[in-house]
Amino acid sequence: MDTAKRVTRRRVRTRARLLDAAFAVFAAKGFGRVSIEEVCEAAGFSRGAFYSNFATLDELFFALYQERADLIAGQVADALAQDGPDLDVPASVDRVTEVLLLDVDWLLVKTDFLVHAARDPAVARALLDHRARLRRAVADRLSRARGHTELPAVLGDAEGAAHAVVAAYDGVTTQLLLDRDVEAARVWLKQLLTALLTDGGRTPA
């Protein structure tokens, strides 16, 4: 049993090191320009270690995306969950924008993955599923708060509001890729989300 546990722990560490190394290499060179050998060299492992964890670079790439996407979904859900049954939108937006992962290297890797997925229907379906999980995390929280917090009617239901939140994040992070100004991105995202989710988004009559 102890031997099996040691093997399991070693494999978990190996997988984590491969993912960390792949993240650095993908961010530096871009997906499609990286070989398995380069990932193994960066991680300090042989090809055998790679193939004991991943069948292909695509599989590793998706595992990397899934890990970061789950982290972001968790950050958003946790930030929105702190108000109890009510939803203090400005306070929630503050928390979301403070903790949200706005890392340029991650955005480079994510953008590569989006382009790759756009050319591969199977990868696109998997990516759409993960993006739907983020929207569901937001929509679920907004839906549970609707009896206490009114959302702008123009957004429709909580699902529509969640789509708007994710679209705002996508837009801000695209700008961040170009100007590399993380603090400006946080400020802009905060302004957009506040306008979207409160009466501040309405045009006065």
Side-chain angles (χ1 to χ4, degrees):
M1 177 66 80
D2 288 342
T3 300
K5 286 182 179 178
R6 284 197 299 271
V7 170
T8 299
R9 285 197 297 270
R10 185 166 62 246
R11 182 167 184 176
V12 169
R13 288 195 299 270
T14 298
R15 181 183 174 89
R17 281 177 59 184
L18 284 166
L19 287 170
D20 287 344
F23 178 81
V25 176
F26 286 143
K29 300 188 68 174
F31 186 76
R33 298 184 180 89
V34 175
S35 67
I36 290 174
E37 288 77 9
E38 286 174 300
V39 173
C40 291
E41 182 179 352
F45 291 127
S46 67
R47 287 173 64 94
F50 179 92
Y51 285 117
S52 70
N53 288 276
F54 304 102
T56 64
L57 274 178
D58 274 13
E59 184 180 321
L60 181 151
F61 199 88
F62 189 74
L64 182 62
Y65 181 89
Q66 178 177 349
E67 180 181 79
R68 293 299 176 109
D70 286 348
L71 171 62
I72 290 171
Q75 289 174 330
V76 172
D78 289 347
L80 291 175
Q82 293 181 30
D83 291 319
D86 296 315
L87 182 64
D88 182 339
V89 171
S92 294
V93 167
D94 281 347
R95 287 194 299 270
V96 168
T97 53
E98 281 300 315
V99 304
L100 195 60
L101 181 66
L102 292 176
D103 176 73
V104 173
D105 283 345
W106 157 241
L107 296 173
L108 286 168
V109 172
K110 186 186 82 164
T111 301
D112 272 345
F113 194 73
L114 286 169
V115 174
H116 178 56
R119 295 188 172 99
D120 187 325
V123 178
R125 285 193 295 273
L127 179 56
L128 286 169
D129 178 65
H130 281 278
R131 286 174 66 80
R133 288 178 61 188
L134 175 57
R135 288 198 306 272
R136 284 197 298 271
V138 176
D140 178 66
R141 182 65 187 97
L142 294 176
S143 179
R144 285 185 285 116
R146 285 206 74 175
H148 306 269
T149 306
E150 184 179 356
L151 296 173
V154 69
L155 296 177
D157 58 10
E159 184 69 23
H163 272 273
V165 167
V166 174
Y169 170 76
D170 286 341
V172 168
T173 53
T174 297
Q175 181 67 26
L176 176 58
L177 270 177
L178 300 175
D179 63 27
R180 306 298 181 100
D181 190 336
V182 174
E183 289 311 308
R186 291 195 189 281
V187 170
W188 182 225
L189 183 60
K190 177 180 176 180
Q191 291 171 342
L192 276 177
L193 294 181
T194 301
L196 278 170
L197 298 176
T198 69
D199 286 339
R202 294 181 180 177
T203 302

